[in-house]
Amino acid sequence: MTARPSDLTARNFPSAALDAQQAAQPTGRYAGPESSYRLAFTDTDFLLREELRPVRMQLELLKPEMVQQELGIESTIVIFGSARIPSPEQAEERLQAARASGDATALRRAETAQQMSRYYDEARRFARLVTERSKALATPITVCTGGGPGIMEAGNRGAWEVGGQSLGLNIVLPHEQAPNPYITPELCFQFHYFALRKMHFVMRSVALVCFPGGFGTLDELFETLTLIQTGKSRRRPVLLFGRDFWEKLIDLQHLVDTGMISPDDVHLFQYVESAEEAWHKLAEHYAFEARGDAEGAFADDI
């Protein structure tokens, strides 16, 4: 009898998905928590054991990597910044409420928040520029954020407003657990391990754009600068929005004067003040305008 073409490629064993679907749920004597009857890969209690940490770390590396490969995400621009910077609309509401309350401290904080809200607008505008202008490149650039509120929301929102996709790399925290509503659903990931999340920030990034922020923003900024400084990652643009904020926060000249960093290390980043200036720096670095349509993809870093 002649074999049908489908017989030549038919599975010899049932898939794990099929077995997981068909596997009987433990009943009676084997339904208790002490039972080992469940399939190992469907047994959450087993997967959450301390000894399985290496497996969980591998899964957190693989899942976002495989999804991005399947969806053709090759190059990203990562937007970092504070989750506490409100949109101008939110800032105005808080300011009006503070004025009505008569609380001097609340009013002072609301006025500061209103001043900082300009960075929300710049992050939003910058994400729009990246999404719109990179469409013509052979390798379009996808905006990537930490997936939360504030500056992260602004980045995802800007891409969403012009019909583009964007990534959100969320992490389980006591606060800020819910992703903002502007992330592309199939590119919205949740992490347990900070280290794996930070690795994914860097793996496809062609630039790091850092807005004012606190401990988390500084952690991510200096992690990237350290990778570039030590040669563990290729050099790429690192843009800091708001020279006044950053120069008040970090005295880099003191690090140079005390020999803690090389004088050349202060050139690992550049200050910018507007979305247009940031895009110009990127276009200049990668010669977008000179090449017109970019040729090839950006190389992986890790």
Side-chain angles (χ1 to χ4, degrees):
M1 181 177 178
T2 304
R4 291 173 299 173
S6 61
D7 294 336
L8 302 178
T9 57
R11 293 185 64 96
N12 289 322
F13 302 99
S15 68
L18 181 62
D19 268 3
Q21 182 180 8
Q22 293 183 344
Q25 292 300 311
T27 59
R29 185 180 180 188
Y30 305 107
E34 72 283 356
S35 173
S36 297
Y37 183 70
R38 293 174 180 83
L39 287 168
F41 50 83
T42 65
D43 187 341
T44 304
D45 290 337
F46 173 69
L47 291 174
L48 295 179
R49 289 177 57 159
E50 288 294 313
E51 299 90 339
L52 270 291
R53 180 180 289 124
V55 174
R56 294 194 299 273
M57 294 179 75
Q58 185 178 25
L59 291 173
E60 284 210 346
L61 175 63
L62 279 173
K63 180 180 177 180
E65 173 64 19
M66 292 172 67
V67 171
Q68 288 181 79
Q69 285 184 7
E70 290 167 358
L71 296 179
I73 306 299
E74 297 183 57
S75 300
T76 63
I77 282 180
V78 182
I79 298 177
F80 289 136
S82 177
R84 304 184 185 193
I85 292 180
S87 68
E89 297 81 11
Q90 292 171 325
E92 181 62 26
E93 289 178 7
R94 294 179 191 178
L95 182 60
Q96 295 303 325
R99 285 172 176 166
S101 72
D103 185 329
T105 300
L107 179 59
R108 184 170 60 253
R109 289 176 178 170
E111 289 172 342
T112 300
Q114 187 184 50
Q115 293 169 9
M116 296 299 289
S117 70
R118 73 180 183 89
Y119 291 111
Y120 182 104
D121 261 354
E122 289 301 329
R124 183 177 168 186
R125 291 174 57 245
F126 176 69
R128 291 172 64 104
L129 281 175
V130 169
T131 305
E132 288 183 313
R133 297 190 182 182
S134 75
K135 287 178 182 177
L137 303 179
T139 304
I141 304 170
T142 305
V143 167
C144 176
T145 80
I151 293 298
M152 295 173 281
E153 175 187 289
N156 295 119
R157 183 177 177 180
W160 175 80
E161 287 173 331
V162 292
Q165 59 185 1
S166 67
L167 288 109
L169 308 186
N170 293 75
I171 190 161
V172 178
L173 295 173
H175 307 288
E176 303 167 20
Q177 288 193 47
N180 70 66
Y182 302 105
I183 307 164
T184 303
E186 54 266 46
L187 293 173
C188 186
F189 302 101
Q190 186 169 209
F191 289 82
H192 171 67
Y193 298 105
F194 264 108
L196 272 301
R197 178 179 182 244
K198 289 195 286 187
M199 188 171 181
H200 275 290
F201 276 134
V202 178
M203 285 175 69
R204 284 174 166 78
S205 70
V206 301
L208 168 69
V209 180
C210 208
F211 288 81
F215 290 158
T217 302
L218 292 172
D219 174 42
E220 290 149 352
L221 169 63
F222 280 102
E223 174 103 11
T224 304
L225 289 176
T226 300
L227 288 170
I228 296 173
Q229 180 203 47
T230 57
K232 291 292 288 182
S233 174
R234 71 175 171 85
R235 188 159 182 162
R236 74 205 71 180
V238 177
L239 307 180
L240 306 187
F241 263 80
R243 177 189 288 268
D244 185 59
F245 174 87
W246 292 104
E247 288 189 339
K248 286 181 179 178
L249 180 65
I250 307 168
D251 187 352
L252 290 169
Q253 188 57 48
H254 178 64
L255 293 177
V256 173
D257 293 342
T258 54
M260 299 298 102
I261 62 174
S262 164
D264 288 339
D265 288 339
V266 298
H267 302 302
L268 293 176
F269 61 87
Q270 300 175 74
Y271 296 112
V272 294
E273 302 297 332
S274 69
E276 290 77 13
E277 183 183 5
W279 175 258
H280 176 74
K281 296 283 187 186
L282 295 174
E284 185 177 55
H285 181 88
Y286 289 110
F288 288 152
E289 272 110 23
R291 294 185 308 185
D293 192 10
E295 297 177 1
F298 296 102
D300 286 338
D301 307 304
I302 295 180

